[in-house]
Amino acid sequence: MFILHYADPRFLAGVSKHGFPAEHGLRLHNTGYMKTPFGERWRDSPVLQSARKSGRPYFIDRLTGGMPFQSLDGLTDIARTLKNDAHFLGFQVHEWDNCPFHDYRLIKKEFFDKDIPFTEANFAKYVGLTLRPYFEGGDYATYRDLYTPLNTMKNAKRYLEGYFSRMVELTEGQVLSVNGYGQFPHTVFRLGGKNNMAEIGNQVYQSAFQISCVRGAGREYGKPFGVYYETWGGSPFSCTCATSFSPWLPEEGQFKLFDEFGGASVQGGSSRSLQRRLVYFSWLSGSQWWADEWGAENYFFDWDQHPLTEYGNIMLAFTTIAQRVGPVTPIVPAALVLPPDTLGLDVGYVAGTRRLVFDAVEPDPCHNLVRDWAKEMLAPRPWRKGGDDYNLTPSLWAGAIDVLSADASPEVLSRYDVTMFVDENHRAKADHPKKLGVDIESAHESQSIIRQRLPFRVDGEVGCVQAHSSDRVLVGVFNNLGVMKLDGKETLDPQSARTATITGPCTDLIPLYGEQHVRQRNNNSVTVELPPGDLAVLSFARA
């Protein structure tokens, strides 16, 4: 897994100074807080020209979402110049469930609820705004033919697919999709998108299941996947930021705007414990790349002397280990198979924290079935102020499942030891020796099969993911309990320490991370005692 570092020479100087691996990619900022149309900004950009010449993987972060909408005039011309560049991962389209729904609610509030005609002339006063109320995902032309009352899943599907198709058209198919709550990775490829990332972090539930979605879609379509780590979280809600500036806020004074979100400081955001667990979990789960949403602000306290923060030290330690081990392949014996042509899944609803799907429409049968299944397979945890155990959960199975669609080929389905079908009709038609449903009984049978097919048995109230390296088996064990981030302070509940036992051919043990937690070891088992929020990554010789 390589890191996509922020493509600023001042930042990259610190990366080089501290000995981060040279094999990294580049993340190019595009922000709606600048009013320059997209084409005008990037057509002759030296940053883009340098990235293209570097031979490194790179992407442009972002077109839409989480910021004021920027005119996309000239985007298609830029896309045509990058279309055949094998190193270009795409133009990031960010949260294309949240931002179109945000804009839908804004249109309803500002136009229809006030009996103001939704016309281009009336929309004009919102063009170019960088203070709320602003549109995040599009302009009048974007929504003119898309807007419709979103009172059913069918309408929501039409609305979101129409929105994404427009982005695919504007970019000549060069869309790098990034979503958190709404996981639509199969739809991304079905509609002509290029790549997928899962947006993981404290805000979103079930990060392991998000990775299951993008990894499964990637395997179904023969594509890699990545993750996008956002540092927002904690209580009060805030963002980790070690510097007094941010590339997202290029104009003087804009940084102060983030006070309305709870502030941005080195003490803000989610816990460093969660950051550490997520980067190791993503790597062992097969992610090909990692990008930080606000990472450039977090590695160093300044960009002159580059003193490392705790955030930066975590990433340096991780990248050093990952470089030494080399590529890894996750061991995934099970697949959850969604009905064909499914838009996607709302992981918040699946985790049991939302009444409506996408916070907008009543759930369909697929969501209700997957929600019941998740209670047995994903160990969902309730939200609590300042906590993060609802993110990575103490599930032994979450790291061993891919999410596929029923459109997957028999060749893809045959890679799995057990397939769990949401739709009974497609289960009946499937040519697979182990095809189960998603009821409780089938969930228990699935757990038994997964346990038999993994190289090592892990017991304990912990998260787990197993992977192959070139000649080793890696076992990651994660204690996802007991971490609180309140008022800028990270506290650990000692009552949440957990013991895990790894049973199997435990010969030639090499602890890659967490050696201090190993308590007992022999050729058949290893016991680890994990403090709250900690992890261990153990490497064994292949049997």
Side-chain angles (χ1 to χ4, degrees), residues 96-139:
W96 58 274
D97 57 339
N98 289 345
C99 72
F101 278 129
H102 165 274
D103 291 355
Y104 167 84
R105 289 187 288 268
L106 188 56
I107 291 170
K108 184 177 183 299
K109 176 183 177 182
E110 296 294 316
F111 293 92
F112 290 94
D113 288 352
K114 297 178 180 178
D115 292 324
I116 297 174
F118 183 53
T119 64
E120 188 168 12
N122 289 335
F123 189 91
K125 72 175 185 177
Y126 299 94
V127 174
L129 291 185
T130 58
L131 294 174
R132 296 186 187 277
Y134 54 68
F135 285 82
E136 291 187 3
D139 52 14

mmCIF file of all heavy atoms in Angstrom, residues 96-139:
data_model
loop_
_atom_site.group_PDB
_atom_site.id
_atom_site.type_symbol
_atom_site.label_atom_id
_atom_site.label_comp_id
_atom_site.label_asym_id
_atom_site.label_seq_id
_atom_site.Cartn_x
_atom_site.Cartn_y
_atom_site.Cartn_z
ATOM 1 N N TRP A 96 -20.772 11.420 -3.127
ATOM 2 C CA TRP A 96 -21.841 11.711 -4.075
ATOM 3 C C TRP A 96 -23.183 11.094 -3.673
ATOM 4 O O TRP A 96 -24.100 10.988 -4.494
ATOM 5 C CB TRP A 96 -21.444 11.333 -5.503
ATOM 6 C CG TRP A 96 -21.059 9.920 -5.770
ATOM 7 C CD1 TRP A 96 -19.835 9.353 -5.633
ATOM 8 C CD2 TRP A 96 -21.904 8.891 -6.263
ATOM 9 N NE1 TRP A 96 -19.866 8.038 -6.006
ATOM 10 C CE2 TRP A 96 -21.128 7.724 -6.411
ATOM 11 C CE3 TRP A 96 -23.252 8.829 -6.622
ATOM 12 C CZ2 TRP A 96 -21.651 6.518 -6.870
ATOM 13 C CZ3 TRP A 96 -23.777 7.619 -7.087
ATOM 14 C CH2 TRP A 96 -22.965 6.489 -7.205
ATOM 15 N N ASP A 97 -23.298 10.742 -2.399
ATOM 16 C CA ASP A 97 -24.627 10.607 -1.813
ATOM 17 C C ASP A 97 -24.930 11.852 -0.995
ATOM 18 O O ASP A 97 -25.942 12.518 -1.203
ATOM 19 C CB ASP A 97 -24.721 9.344 -0.948
ATOM 20 C CG ASP A 97 -23.676 9.312 0.165
ATOM 21 O OD1 ASP A 97 -22.657 10.005 0.057
ATOM 22 O OD2 ASP A 97 -23.884 8.575 1.153
ATOM 23 N N ASN A 98 -24.021 12.223 -0.094
ATOM 24 C CA ASN A 98 -24.276 13.347 0.801
ATOM 25 C C ASN A 98 -24.439 14.662 0.057
ATOM 26 O O ASN A 98 -25.343 15.447 0.355
ATOM 27 C CB ASN A 98 -23.137 13.493 1.811
ATOM 28 C CG ASN A 98 -23.129 12.392 2.848
ATOM 29 O OD1 ASN A 98 -24.108 11.675 2.989
ATOM 30 N ND2 ASN A 98 -22.036 12.257 3.570
ATOM 31 N N CYS A 99 -23.549 14.951 -0.900
ATOM 32 C CA CYS A 99 -23.598 16.294 -1.497
ATOM 33 C C CYS A 99 -24.818 16.479 -2.404
ATOM 34 O O CYS A 99 -25.469 17.532 -2.325
ATOM 35 C CB CYS A 99 -22.284 16.660 -2.171
ATOM 36 S SG CYS A 99 -21.880 15.824 -3.687
ATOM 37 N N PRO A 100 -25.243 15.518 -3.241
ATOM 38 C CA PRO A 100 -26.488 15.731 -3.982
ATOM 39 C C PRO A 100 -27.720 15.797 -3.075
ATOM 40 O O PRO A 100 -28.662 16.538 -3.364
ATOM 41 C CB PRO A 100 -26.564 14.529 -4.929
ATOM 42 C CG PRO A 100 -25.167 14.054 -5.056
ATOM 43 C CD PRO A 100 -24.549 14.315 -3.720
ATOM 44 N N PHE A 101 -27.703 15.030 -1.968
ATOM 45 C CA PHE A 101 -28.827 15.110 -1.038
ATOM 46 C C PHE A 101 -28.825 16.452 -0.301
ATOM 47 O O PHE A 101 -29.883 17.026 -0.027
ATOM 48 C CB PHE A 101 -28.794 13.952 -0.043
ATOM 49 C CG PHE A 101 -29.380 12.682 -0.588
ATOM 50 C CD1 PHE A 101 -28.684 11.490 -0.515
ATOM 51 C CD2 PHE A 101 -30.629 12.664 -1.174
ATOM 52 C CE1 PHE A 101 -29.215 10.316 -1.017
ATOM 53 C CE2 PHE A 101 -31.174 11.493 -1.675
ATOM 54 C CZ PHE A 101 -30.464 10.314 -1.599
ATOM 55 N N HIS A 102 -27.636 16.953 0.056
ATOM 56 C CA HIS A 102 -27.540 18.294 0.638
ATOM 57 C C HIS A 102 -28.143 19.309 -0.310
ATOM 58 O O HIS A 102 -28.947 20.176 0.081
ATOM 59 C CB HIS A 102 -26.072 18.628 0.925
ATOM 60 C CG HIS A 102 -25.821 20.087 1.182
ATOM 61 N ND1 HIS A 102 -25.597 20.998 0.165
ATOM 62 C CD2 HIS A 102 -25.761 20.798 2.336
ATOM 63 C CE1 HIS A 102 -25.421 22.190 0.676
ATOM 64 N NE2 HIS A 102 -25.504 22.103 2.001
ATOM 65 N N ASP A 103 -27.792 19.213 -1.588
ATOM 66 C CA ASP A 103 -28.287 20.171 -2.571
ATOM 67 C C ASP A 103 -29.791 19.998 -2.811
ATOM 68 O O ASP A 103 -30.512 20.980 -3.022
ATOM 69 C CB ASP A 103 -27.515 20.020 -3.877
ATOM 70 C CG ASP A 103 -26.072 20.476 -3.747
ATOM 71 O OD1 ASP A 103 -25.699 20.991 -2.667
ATOM 72 O OD2 ASP A 103 -25.311 20.309 -4.716
ATOM 73 N N TYR A 104 -30.263 18.765 -2.761
ATOM 74 C CA TYR A 104 -31.703 18.507 -2.893
ATOM 75 C C TYR A 104 -32.471 19.244 -1.795
ATOM 76 O O TYR A 104 -33.472 19.916 -2.047
ATOM 77 C CB TYR A 104 -31.967 17.002 -2.816
ATOM 78 C CG TYR A 104 -33.418 16.634 -2.627
ATOM 79 C CD1 TYR A 104 -34.276 16.556 -3.716
ATOM 80 C CD2 TYR A 104 -33.924 16.383 -1.352
ATOM 81 C CE1 TYR A 104 -35.616 16.235 -3.544
ATOM 82 C CE2 TYR A 104 -35.262 16.063 -1.174
ATOM 83 C CZ TYR A 104 -36.107 15.979 -2.266
ATOM 84 O OH TYR A 104 -37.422 15.662 -2.088
ATOM 85 N N ARG A 105 -31.985 19.109 -0.543
ATOM 86 C CA ARG A 105 -32.668 19.772 0.569
ATOM 87 C C ARG A 105 -32.585 21.293 0.441
ATOM 88 O O ARG A 105 -33.528 22.013 0.802
ATOM 89 C CB ARG A 105 -32.064 19.305 1.898
ATOM 90 C CG ARG A 105 -32.418 17.862 2.244
ATOM 91 C CD ARG A 105 -31.960 17.478 3.641
ATOM 92 N NE ARG A 105 -30.513 17.318 3.731
ATOM 93 C CZ ARG A 105 -29.879 16.167 3.551
ATOM 94 N NH1 ARG A 105 -30.551 15.061 3.257
ATOM 95 N NH2 ARG A 105 -28.560 16.108 3.654
ATOM 96 N N LEU A 106 -31.447 21.787 -0.078
ATOM 97 C CA LEU A 106 -31.295 23.224 -0.245
ATOM 98 C C LEU A 106 -32.238 23.751 -1.326
ATOM 99 O O LEU A 106 -32.847 24.827 -1.162
ATOM 100 C CB LEU A 106 -29.838 23.552 -0.590
ATOM 101 C CG LEU A 106 -29.449 25.031 -0.610
ATOM 102 C CD1 LEU A 106 -29.770 25.703 0.716
ATOM 103 C CD2 LEU A 106 -27.958 25.179 -0.922
ATOM 104 N N ILE A 107 -32.363 23.028 -2.414
ATOM 105 C CA ILE A 107 -33.307 23.421 -3.476
ATOM 106 C C ILE A 107 -34.724 23.464 -2.928
ATOM 107 O O ILE A 107 -35.492 24.413 -3.174
ATOM 108 C CB ILE A 107 -33.213 22.452 -4.667
ATOM 109 C CG1 ILE A 107 -31.874 22.611 -5.387
ATOM 110 C CG2 ILE A 107 -34.363 22.693 -5.654
ATOM 111 C CD1 ILE A 107 -31.595 21.536 -6.409
ATOM 112 N N LYS A 108 -35.090 22.444 -2.185
ATOM 113 C CA LYS A 108 -36.438 22.383 -1.613
ATOM 114 C C LYS A 108 -36.684 23.565 -0.678
ATOM 115 O O LYS A 108 -37.731 24.231 -0.744
ATOM 116 C CB LYS A 108 -36.631 21.069 -0.865
ATOM 117 C CG LYS A 108 -38.024 20.852 -0.299
ATOM 118 C CD LYS A 108 -38.130 19.488 0.352
ATOM 119 C CE LYS A 108 -39.543 19.231 0.867
ATOM 120 N NZ LYS A 108 -39.966 20.217 1.887
ATOM 121 N N LYS A 109 -35.700 23.853 0.187
ATOM 122 C CA LYS A 109 -35.854 24.918 1.180
ATOM 123 C C LYS A 109 -35.872 26.299 0.526
ATOM 124 O O LYS A 109 -36.704 27.157 0.888
ATOM 125 C CB LYS A 109 -34.706 24.832 2.189
ATOM 126 C CG LYS A 109 -34.704 25.940 3.221
ATOM 127 C CD LYS A 109 -33.493 25.815 4.143
ATOM 128 C CE LYS A 109 -33.447 26.976 5.137
ATOM 129 N NZ LYS A 109 -32.240 26.890 6.004
ATOM 130 N N GLU A 110 -34.943 26.539 -0.414
ATOM 131 C CA GLU A 110 -34.766 27.877 -0.971
ATOM 132 C C GLU A 110 -35.698 28.190 -2.138
ATOM 133 O O GLU A 110 -35.919 29.373 -2.445
ATOM 134 C CB GLU A 110 -33.309 28.061 -1.413
ATOM 135 C CG GLU A 110 -32.296 27.995 -0.281
ATOM 136 C CD GLU A 110 -32.439 29.141 0.692
ATOM 137 O OE1 GLU A 110 -32.604 30.288 0.246
ATOM 138 O OE2 GLU A 110 -32.406 28.893 1.914
ATOM 139 N N PHE A 111 -36.247 27.169 -2.758
ATOM 140 C CA PHE A 111 -37.102 27.403 -3.921
ATOM 141 C C PHE A 111 -38.527 26.893 -3.694
ATOM 142 O O PHE A 111 -39.460 27.685 -3.559
ATOM 143 C CB PHE A 111 -36.490 26.764 -5.175
ATOM 144 C CG PHE A 111 -35.206 27.406 -5.609
ATOM 145 C CD1 PHE A 111 -33.990 26.933 -5.164
ATOM 146 C CD2 PHE A 111 -35.216 28.509 -6.457
ATOM 147 C CE1 PHE A 111 -32.801 27.536 -5.550
ATOM 148 C CE2 PHE A 111 -34.040 29.118 -6.857
ATOM 149 C CZ PHE A 111 -32.826 28.635 -6.398
ATOM 150 N N PHE A 112 -38.705 25.595 -3.620
ATOM 151 C CA PHE A 112 -40.047 25.033 -3.615
ATOM 152 C C PHE A 112 -40.813 25.384 -2.343
ATOM 153 O O PHE A 112 -42.019 25.665 -2.408
ATOM 154 C CB PHE A 112 -39.980 23.525 -3.829
ATOM 155 C CG PHE A 112 -39.552 23.166 -5.229
ATOM 156 C CD1 PHE A 112 -38.219 22.922 -5.527
ATOM 157 C CD2 PHE A 112 -40.474 23.115 -6.260
ATOM 158 C CE1 PHE A 112 -37.810 22.628 -6.816
ATOM 159 C CE2 PHE A 112 -40.081 22.808 -7.554
ATOM 160 C CZ PHE A 112 -38.753 22.562 -7.843
ATOM 161 N N ASP A 113 -40.162 25.370 -1.192
ATOM 162 C CA ASP A 113 -40.869 25.719 0.048
ATOM 163 C C ASP A 113 -41.259 27.194 0.089
ATOM 164 O O ASP A 113 -42.165 27.586 0.838
ATOM 165 C CB ASP A 113 -40.015 25.390 1.277
ATOM 166 C CG ASP A 113 -39.897 23.903 1.521
ATOM 167 O OD1 ASP A 113 -40.590 23.129 0.830
ATOM 168 O OD2 ASP A 113 -39.099 23.504 2.396
ATOM 169 N N LYS A 114 -40.574 28.018 -0.692
ATOM 170 C CA LYS A 114 -40.865 29.457 -0.738
ATOM 171 C C LYS A 114 -41.644 29.852 -1.988
ATOM 172 O O LYS A 114 -41.836 31.053 -2.239
ATOM 173 C CB LYS A 114 -39.548 30.243 -0.686
ATOM 174 C CG LYS A 114 -38.753 30.048 0.592
ATOM 175 C CD LYS A 114 -37.434 30.818 0.545
ATOM 176 C CE LYS A 114 -36.632 30.627 1.833
ATOM 177 N NZ LYS A 114 -35.324 31.348 1.778
ATOM 178 N N ASP A 115 -42.053 28.842 -2.771
ATOM 179 C CA ASP A 115 -42.792 29.094 -4.029
ATOM 180 C C ASP A 115 -42.013 29.999 -4.974
ATOM 181 O O ASP A 115 -42.583 30.844 -5.675
ATOM 182 C CB ASP A 115 -44.168 29.710 -3.734
ATOM 183 C CG ASP A 115 -45.092 28.732 -3.039
ATOM 184 O OD1 ASP A 115 -45.022 27.539 -3.359
ATOM 185 O OD2 ASP A 115 -45.872 29.157 -2.170
ATOM 186 N N ILE A 116 -40.685 29.825 -4.973
ATOM 187 C CA ILE A 116 -39.831 30.539 -5.919
ATOM 188 C C ILE A 116 -39.496 29.589 -7.057
ATOM 189 O O ILE A 116 -39.011 28.480 -6.818
ATOM 190 C CB ILE A 116 -38.542 31.022 -5.231
ATOM 191 C CG1 ILE A 116 -38.870 32.018 -4.122
ATOM 192 C CG2 ILE A 116 -37.582 31.632 -6.247
ATOM 193 C CD1 ILE A 116 -37.671 32.441 -3.299
ATOM 194 N N PRO A 117 -39.748 29.963 -8.289
ATOM 195 C CA PRO A 117 -39.462 29.055 -9.414
ATOM 196 C C PRO A 117 -37.973 28.667 -9.454
ATOM 197 O O PRO A 117 -37.094 29.506 -9.258
ATOM 198 C CB PRO A 117 -39.853 29.875 -10.645
ATOM 199 C CG PRO A 117 -40.837 30.877 -10.129
ATOM 200 C CD PRO A 117 -40.384 31.214 -8.732
ATOM 201 N N PHE A 118 -37.736 27.380 -9.686
ATOM 202 C CA PHE A 118 -36.364 26.886 -9.789
ATOM 203 C C PHE A 118 -35.892 27.117 -11.212
ATOM 204 O O PHE A 118 -36.039 26.276 -12.105
ATOM 205 C CB PHE A 118 -36.308 25.403 -9.413
ATOM 206 C CG PHE A 118 -34.909 24.821 -9.414
ATOM 207 C CD1 PHE A 118 -33.896 25.423 -8.692
ATOM 208 C CD2 PHE A 118 -34.615 23.670 -10.135
ATOM 209 C CE1 PHE A 118 -32.609 24.895 -8.685
ATOM 210 C CE2 PHE A 118 -33.342 23.129 -10.140
ATOM 211 C CZ PHE A 118 -32.336 23.751 -9.408
ATOM 212 N N THR A 119 -35.331 28.314 -11.447
ATOM 213 C CA THR A 119 -34.870 28.708 -12.768
ATOM 214 C C THR A 119 -33.414 29.134 -12.689
ATOM 215 O O THR A 119 -32.881 29.419 -11.602
ATOM 216 C CB THR A 119 -35.698 29.886 -13.317
ATOM 217 O OG1 THR A 119 -35.491 31.027 -12.459
ATOM 218 C CG2 THR A 119 -37.188 29.543 -13.346
ATOM 219 N N GLU A 120 -32.795 29.202 -13.839
ATOM 220 C CA GLU A 120 -31.387 29.607 -13.875
ATOM 221 C C GLU A 120 -31.206 31.021 -13.346
ATOM 222 O O GLU A 120 -30.242 31.318 -12.639
ATOM 223 C CB GLU A 120 -30.850 29.490 -15.297
ATOM 224 C CG GLU A 120 -29.349 29.716 -15.399
ATOM 225 C CD GLU A 120 -28.787 29.328 -16.751
ATOM 226 O OE1 GLU A 120 -29.597 29.104 -17.684
ATOM 227 O OE2 GLU A 120 -27.555 29.231 -16.869
ATOM 228 N N ALA A 121 -32.149 31.901 -13.652
ATOM 229 C CA ALA A 121 -32.041 33.280 -13.186
ATOM 230 C C ALA A 121 -32.136 33.353 -11.664
ATOM 231 O O ALA A 121 -31.381 34.096 -11.016
ATOM 232 C CB ALA A 121 -33.149 34.127 -13.824
ATOM 233 N N ASN A 122 -33.055 32.589 -11.074
ATOM 234 C CA ASN A 122 -33.195 32.603 -9.616
ATOM 235 C C ASN A 122 -32.034 31.889 -8.925
ATOM 236 O O ASN A 122 -31.679 32.213 -7.782
ATOM 237 C CB ASN A 122 -34.520 31.957 -9.210
ATOM 238 C CG ASN A 122 -35.709 32.823 -9.565
ATOM 239 O OD1 ASN A 122 -35.595 34.040 -9.688
ATOM 240 N ND2 ASN A 122 -36.868 32.209 -9.762
ATOM 241 N N PHE A 123 -31.440 30.918 -9.615
ATOM 242 C CA PHE A 123 -30.305 30.188 -9.051
ATOM 243 C C PHE A 123 -29.041 31.039 -9.031
ATOM 244 O O PHE A 123 -28.114 30.785 -8.259
ATOM 245 C CB PHE A 123 -30.068 28.908 -9.864
ATOM 246 C CG PHE A 123 -29.065 27.955 -9.265
ATOM 247 C CD1 PHE A 123 -29.473 26.948 -8.403
ATOM 248 C CD2 PHE A 123 -27.711 28.056 -9.561
ATOM 249 C CE1 PHE A 123 -28.563 26.069 -7.843
ATOM 250 C CE2 PHE A 123 -26.789 27.169 -9.014
ATOM 251 C CZ PHE A 123 -27.221 26.177 -8.143
ATOM 252 N N ALA A 124 -28.993 32.062 -9.859
ATOM 253 C CA ALA A 124 -27.760 32.817 -10.091
ATOM 254 C C ALA A 124 -27.172 33.391 -8.803
ATOM 255 O O ALA A 124 -25.941 33.516 -8.676
ATOM 256 C CB ALA A 124 -28.022 33.947 -11.086
ATOM 257 N N LYS A 125 -28.018 33.742 -7.831
ATOM 258 C CA LYS A 125 -27.480 34.371 -6.624
ATOM 259 C C LYS A 125 -26.646 33.413 -5.773
ATOM 260 O O LYS A 125 -25.916 33.849 -4.877
ATOM 261 C CB LYS A 125 -28.613 34.971 -5.790
ATOM 262 C CG LYS A 125 -29.492 33.982 -5.072
ATOM 263 C CD LYS A 125 -30.498 34.718 -4.184
ATOM 264 C CE LYS A 125 -31.323 33.764 -3.349
ATOM 265 N NZ LYS A 125 -32.245 34.478 -2.431
ATOM 266 N N TYR A 126 -26.727 32.097 -6.052
ATOM 267 C CA TYR A 126 -25.950 31.109 -5.301
ATOM 268 C C TYR A 126 -24.622 30.776 -5.990
ATOM 269 O O TYR A 126 -23.783 30.082 -5.406
ATOM 270 C CB TYR A 126 -26.756 29.828 -5.112
ATOM 271 C CG TYR A 126 -28.037 30.040 -4.346
ATOM 272 C CD1 TYR A 126 -29.232 30.268 -5.015
ATOM 273 C CD2 TYR A 126 -28.050 30.039 -2.962
ATOM 274 C CE1 TYR A 126 -30.410 30.489 -4.319
ATOM 275 C CE2 TYR A 126 -29.224 30.258 -2.248
ATOM 276 C CZ TYR A 126 -30.397 30.488 -2.945
ATOM 277 O OH TYR A 126 -31.558 30.705 -2.251
ATOM 278 N N VAL A 127 -24.453 31.245 -7.212
ATOM 279 C CA VAL A 127 -23.248 30.918 -7.978
ATOM 280 C C VAL A 127 -22.051 31.652 -7.379
ATOM 281 O O VAL A 127 -22.073 32.870 -7.166
ATOM 282 C CB VAL A 127 -23.421 31.298 -9.460
ATOM 283 C CG1 VAL A 127 -22.110 31.088 -10.224
ATOM 284 C CG2 VAL A 127 -24.547 30.481 -10.086
ATOM 285 N N GLY A 128 -20.993 30.905 -7.088
ATOM 286 C CA GLY A 128 -19.762 31.502 -6.582
ATOM 287 C C GLY A 128 -19.730 31.746 -5.091
ATOM 288 O O GLY A 128 -18.732 32.280 -4.582
ATOM 289 N N LEU A 129 -20.780 31.366 -4.360
ATOM 290 C CA LEU A 129 -20.776 31.578 -2.916
ATOM 291 C C LEU A 129 -19.753 30.660 -2.235
ATOM 292 O O LEU A 129 -19.629 29.492 -2.586
ATOM 293 C CB LEU A 129 -22.158 31.298 -2.323
ATOM 294 C CG LEU A 129 -23.298 32.259 -2.668
ATOM 295 C CD1 LEU A 129 -24.552 31.870 -1.892
ATOM 296 C CD2 LEU A 129 -22.922 33.704 -2.355
ATOM 297 N N THR A 130 -19.053 31.195 -1.262
ATOM 298 C CA THR A 130 -18.163 30.378 -0.433
ATOM 299 C C THR A 130 -18.598 30.391 1.023
ATOM 300 O O THR A 130 -17.922 29.829 1.882
ATOM 301 C CB THR A 130 -16.703 30.853 -0.544
ATOM 302 O OG1 THR A 130 -16.630 32.229 -0.158
ATOM 303 C CG2 THR A 130 -16.182 30.677 -1.960
ATOM 304 N N LEU A 131 -19.695 31.088 1.305
ATOM 305 C CA LEU A 131 -20.328 31.045 2.612
ATOM 306 C C LEU A 131 -21.715 30.435 2.450
ATOM 307 O O LEU A 131 -22.372 30.624 1.423
ATOM 308 C CB LEU A 131 -20.440 32.452 3.211
ATOM 309 C CG LEU A 131 -19.117 33.153 3.568
ATOM 310 C CD1 LEU A 131 -19.388 34.582 4.016
ATOM 311 C CD2 LEU A 131 -18.378 32.396 4.663
ATOM 312 N N ARG A 132 -22.177 29.721 3.459
ATOM 313 C CA ARG A 132 -23.483 29.074 3.377
ATOM 314 C C ARG A 132 -24.593 30.124 3.286
ATOM 315 O O ARG A 132 -24.470 31.193 3.868
ATOM 316 C CB ARG A 132 -23.682 28.161 4.594
ATOM 317 C CG ARG A 132 -22.678 27.017 4.623
ATOM 318 C CD ARG A 132 -22.977 26.034 5.745
ATOM 319 N NE ARG A 132 -21.928 25.042 5.857
ATOM 320 C CZ ARG A 132 -21.852 23.935 5.094
ATOM 321 N NH1 ARG A 132 -22.780 23.705 4.196
ATOM 322 N NH2 ARG A 132 -20.865 23.084 5.251
ATOM 323 N N PRO A 133 -25.664 29.810 2.532
ATOM 324 C CA PRO A 133 -25.928 28.523 1.886
ATOM 325 C C PRO A 133 -25.273 28.432 0.509
ATOM 326 O O PRO A 133 -25.480 29.292 -0.338
ATOM 327 C CB PRO A 133 -27.464 28.538 1.739
ATOM 328 C CG PRO A 133 -27.809 29.986 1.594
ATOM 329 C CD PRO A 133 -26.798 30.741 2.412
ATOM 330 N N TYR A 134 -24.436 27.435 0.326
ATOM 331 C CA TYR A 134 -23.856 27.185 -0.987
ATOM 332 C C TYR A 134 -24.190 25.760 -1.427
ATOM 333 O O TYR A 134 -24.500 24.897 -0.612
ATOM 334 C CB TYR A 134 -22.343 27.413 -1.006
ATOM 335 C CG TYR A 134 -21.543 26.660 0.034
ATOM 336 C CD1 TYR A 134 -21.406 25.267 -0.012
ATOM 337 C CD2 TYR A 134 -20.870 27.339 1.046
ATOM 338 C CE1 TYR A 134 -20.643 24.586 0.921
ATOM 339 C CE2 TYR A 134 -20.105 26.668 1.982
ATOM 340 C CZ TYR A 134 -19.996 25.293 1.924
ATOM 341 O OH TYR A 134 -19.247 24.614 2.843
ATOM 342 N N PHE A 135 -24.130 25.550 -2.730
ATOM 343 C CA PHE A 135 -24.338 24.213 -3.284
ATOM 344 C C PHE A 135 -23.010 23.481 -3.324
ATOM 345 O O PHE A 135 -21.971 24.063 -3.638
ATOM 346 C CB PHE A 135 -24.976 24.307 -4.671
ATOM 347 C CG PHE A 135 -26.430 24.661 -4.623
ATOM 348 C CD1 PHE A 135 -26.842 25.985 -4.481
ATOM 349 C CD2 PHE A 135 -27.400 23.672 -4.664
ATOM 350 C CE1 PHE A 135 -28.186 26.315 -4.409
ATOM 351 C CE2 PHE A 135 -28.742 23.987 -4.583
ATOM 352 C CZ PHE A 135 -29.145 25.312 -4.453
ATOM 353 N N GLU A 136 -23.032 22.191 -2.989
ATOM 354 C CA GLU A 136 -21.809 21.395 -2.888
ATOM 355 C C GLU A 136 -21.527 20.569 -4.132
ATOM 356 O O GLU A 136 -20.377 20.272 -4.420
ATOM 357 C CB GLU A 136 -21.898 20.431 -1.691
ATOM 358 C CG GLU A 136 -21.859 21.093 -0.346
ATOM 359 C CD GLU A 136 -21.770 20.073 0.779
ATOM 360 O OE1 GLU A 136 -21.682 18.855 0.496
ATOM 361 O OE2 GLU A 136 -21.795 20.495 1.944
ATOM 362 N N GLY A 137 -22.573 20.134 -4.831
ATOM 363 C CA GLY A 137 -22.368 19.113 -5.845
ATOM 364 C C GLY A 137 -22.637 19.526 -7.273
ATOM 365 O O GLY A 137 -22.360 18.754 -8.190
ATOM 366 N N GLY A 138 -23.209 20.694 -7.477
ATOM 367 C CA GLY A 138 -23.542 21.046 -8.841
ATOM 368 C C GLY A 138 -24.125 22.439 -8.958
ATOM 369 O O GLY A 138 -24.310 23.155 -7.971
ATOM 370 N N ASP A 139 -24.428 22.805 -10.199
ATOM 371 C CA ASP A 139 -25.048 24.086 -10.492
ATOM 372 C C ASP A 139 -26.453 23.853 -11.023
ATOM 373 O O ASP A 139 -26.985 22.738 -10.936
ATOM 374 C CB ASP A 139 -24.197 24.862 -11.508
ATOM 375 C CG ASP A 139 -23.886 24.030 -12.750
ATOM 376 O OD1 ASP A 139 -24.528 22.971 -12.964
ATOM 377 O OD2 ASP A 139 -22.994 24.435 -13.517
#
